[in-house]
Each structure stands twice: as structure tokens, then as C-alpha cells.
Amino acid sequence: MPQRSSTADADARIPAGHPFAAHLRRVAAVEAAQPHRPWTPEDGPLPSLYLSHGGGPLPFQDPQWLDPLHDWARSLPKPKAILVVSAHWESAPLSVSATRPSDLVYDFGGFDPLYHSFRYDTPDAGELARQVVRLMPDTEQVHQHARRGLDHGAWVPLKIMYLAADVPVLQLSLPTEDPDALLALGERLRPLREEGVLVVGSGHMTHGLPFLTREMFTGNVVPGWSADFDAWAVDALARGDVAELARYRTAAPGMPYAHPTVEHFTPLFVTLGAATDPTAPVLTTLEGYGVGLSRRSFQAA
């Protein structure tokens, strides 16, 4: 009998009535009926993703996150590996996480201590780290962290999407706020998609945390600044207007309330840069609002 993983052992301790325990049961039934087909070269390049990752561990509690994220993963072949650029790791020079860290980064507070017992122990990502380093110019040295694990912008959504923790995952730091530089970084990562690697920019389409109100938390009341920014982004993405998106600080309605700091929007430029055609319309995979913030997520071919 194969040995149970530490991830499966931790999952088994989640209370049976918890929404994520129900998600685990649902996914197990789906996988038993039809295992997730792995990517092959005949599939062609995987898309690049922009993923709104939710607030801390909140997606684990909400079917409006759980089902769409997993269904999105199942709509694509299972990747050979996943590279994530997360809003929660801003670091220059460019850095990659440990290829097989011992611990996750539980970079959230004020939630049930249960979530600090969650595990997501994925296979060694050493080969992906070597691929990433090879794609960078000789003038740009990539720092390899020995211990840094995945932060919640990576492991929370991926644990929902790929529950078996059987796909190698690596994080690449967000080295700048400059859209042009991030588009160029995404372009350098583009060849990974042809090797079955899923390239993910993880942020949140609106992220005005200082401006959240009780009504937003309790009733998901959507403020004008969140709705206006989201509508502007939808229009620009539909038109493939990358230049307009890059002018978000001055062009987007709802600023600076939608993004008082910009790290949850800028991973979008890595996603677009990694696309075969950054100006092509994207496919929206998740929309709507949680606590008044836009959950819009998409894939670019």
C-alpha cells in the first residue's frame, strides 16, 4: 500500500463538517470517476493565468471559491509543474523559493488556528528552478532560497485546484512594480508553457483592504471604487489594450482605493507577458465579488 502523504494526513484531520472537507470528498469522487489527464506535448502550450487568490484562508470556507477554482483546474490538462508569481513576495533581485521547502508560509492572522495545520507538500521543483534560471539573461542573477516555502497567494488557491499536491510548485518573486519590466519577465517565462508548465500571476483584481466596511464584510456590499475598477479592467482586457492597463495608476477609475498598494494588480502583467499574444482577449474564469472585492480571474492563451 502506498504511503500516505503529510498533506493527506493533515487533510484527514479537518473536521468533517468544514466546507473544505466537503470539497475534498467531492474532488475524490470526481478523480475516482475520471482521473485528471496529464499534459502532453500534443496539447500545445498551457495558458498563463491571473488568479485572484482571496483573503488569507477564506477561500477554503466558501463554495464560490472552491468549486470554480477546482473546475478551472480540471478544464486544463494537469500541468507538469507550476510557477507562481505572488503579490505576497516582493523581492529584488529576482528570487525563487526553495525547491522542496519543509514548511508553508502562513502569512495571515486572525483566522482559525486550524489553517496553520494545513499542509501542501508538493514534489521537488528543482528542474523547474533550473529552467527558470536558464531563461533569465546572463546579467540577471536569480537568488535561490534554501528554506522559503509557498506563501498563501500560491498554496491556498493551488491546494483547492490541485488537491493531491502531486505537481511541483515553485515561486518566483515579484521584483518590481513596473508594468513594462513585468511584461518582459513574463515574456522570458513564455517558453515554459510549451513544456507543460502553468505560469500563474497571483493577486486580486481589487484589493482595497483599508477601505473595507462592516457592510462589505457582512453583506458583500460592492463599493463603487471596486466595481468601477473591475469594469475598466474588463474593457481593457477585452480590447487587448495592454498600454491602457499599464496606465492603471492614472487611467483606472477607483484608484487609489481599489489598489492603495499595487502588488495585487501587477502580477497581471507577468500573466500577459507570458501569453502568446498579450493583446488577445482573455478568457474570464472567475468573477463576482467577495467582501466587496473583485475576484476576477482569467487565462490568456
Side-chain angles (χ1 to χ4, degrees):
M1 179 180 293
Q3 186 175 3
R4 284 171 62 88
S5 71
S6 55
T7 300
D9 286 338
D11 288 345
R13 293 191 291 271
I14 299 171
H18 191 285
F20 189 65
H23 183 66
L24 288 166
R25 294 190 293 269
R26 171 184 175 256
V27 171
V30 170
E31 286 290 326
Q34 185 176 4
H36 195 170
R37 182 178 67 83
W39 178 88
T40 67
E42 289 71 28
D43 290 309
L46 286 170
S48 54
L49 313 187
Y50 174 74
L51 194 158
S52 290
H53 59 242
L58 286 175
F60 290 130
Q61 304 172 187
D62 188 350
Q64 293 189 61
W65 287 98
L66 296 169
D67 295 345
L69 283 175
H70 182 253
D71 291 348
W72 186 8
R74 288 280 304 194
S75 73
L76 305 170
K78 180 187 284 190
K80 291 176 62 178
I82 302 171
L83 180 67
V84 183
V85 178
S86 165
H88 294 278
W89 190 19
E90 297 178 271
S91 179
L94 203 61
S95 303
V96 293
S97 61
T99 57
R100 194 163 190 174
S102 58
D103 290 303
L104 299 170
V105 180
Y106 301 98
D107 49 342
F108 45 75
F111 296 96
D112 190 323
L114 168 72
Y115 298 114
H116 289 259
S117 70
F118 276 30
R119 302 290 305 178
Y120 195 61
D121 298 305
T122 50
D124 186 274
E127 177 54 33
L128 178 55
R130 289 185 286 272
Q131 287 178 283
V132 170
V133 170
R134 286 195 296 266
L135 291 172
M136 296 302 116
D138 294 338
T139 55
E140 185 159 8
Q141 185 174 3
V142 180
H143 177 67
Q144 172 72 65
H145 277 260
R147 295 185 178 86
R148 190 189 194 280
L150 305 175
D151 63 51
H152 84 263
W155 72 265
V156 168
L158 293 182
K159 185 172 175 64
I160 295 169
M161 297 171 79
Y162 301 99
L163 280 78
D166 56 355
V167 179
V169 181
L170 187 76
Q171 267 195 253
L172 182 65
S173 69
L174 184 65
T176 178
E177 295 178 349
D178 179 63
D180 290 335
L182 293 173
L183 286 163
L185 173 60
E187 185 174 359
R188 289 197 291 271
L189 299 173
R190 193 180 297 170
L192 294 174
R193 297 173 41 236
E194 300 173 359
E195 301 296 326
V197 177
L198 193 64
V199 178
V200 181
S202 178
H204 219 297
M205 188 57 76
T206 59
H207 197 249
L209 295 185
F211 310 109
L212 298 183
T213 65
R214 181 182 297 275
E215 292 74 22
M216 293 168 66
F217 273 112
T218 60
N220 194 22
V221 173
V222 180
W225 50 259
S226 187
D228 291 346
F229 186 97
D230 182 65
W232 167 85
V234 168
D235 177 68
L237 288 165
R239 293 185 289 105
D241 195 339
V242 178
E244 172 76 358
L245 291 163
R247 292 192 295 270
Y248 68 95
R249 290 183 189 267
T250 56
M255 289 293 289
Y257 299 98
H259 289 284
T261 57
V262 301
E263 74 287 341
H264 278 73
F265 185 65
T266 52
L268 173 146
F269 296 106
V270 178
T271 300
L272 293 179
T276 304
D277 179 3
T279 67
V282 302
L283 175 64
T284 296
T285 52
L286 184 64
E287 55 189 344
Y289 295 84
V291 297
L293 302 178
S294 171
R295 303 182 303 146
R296 186 168 302 281
S297 304
F298 63 80
Q299 64 186 52

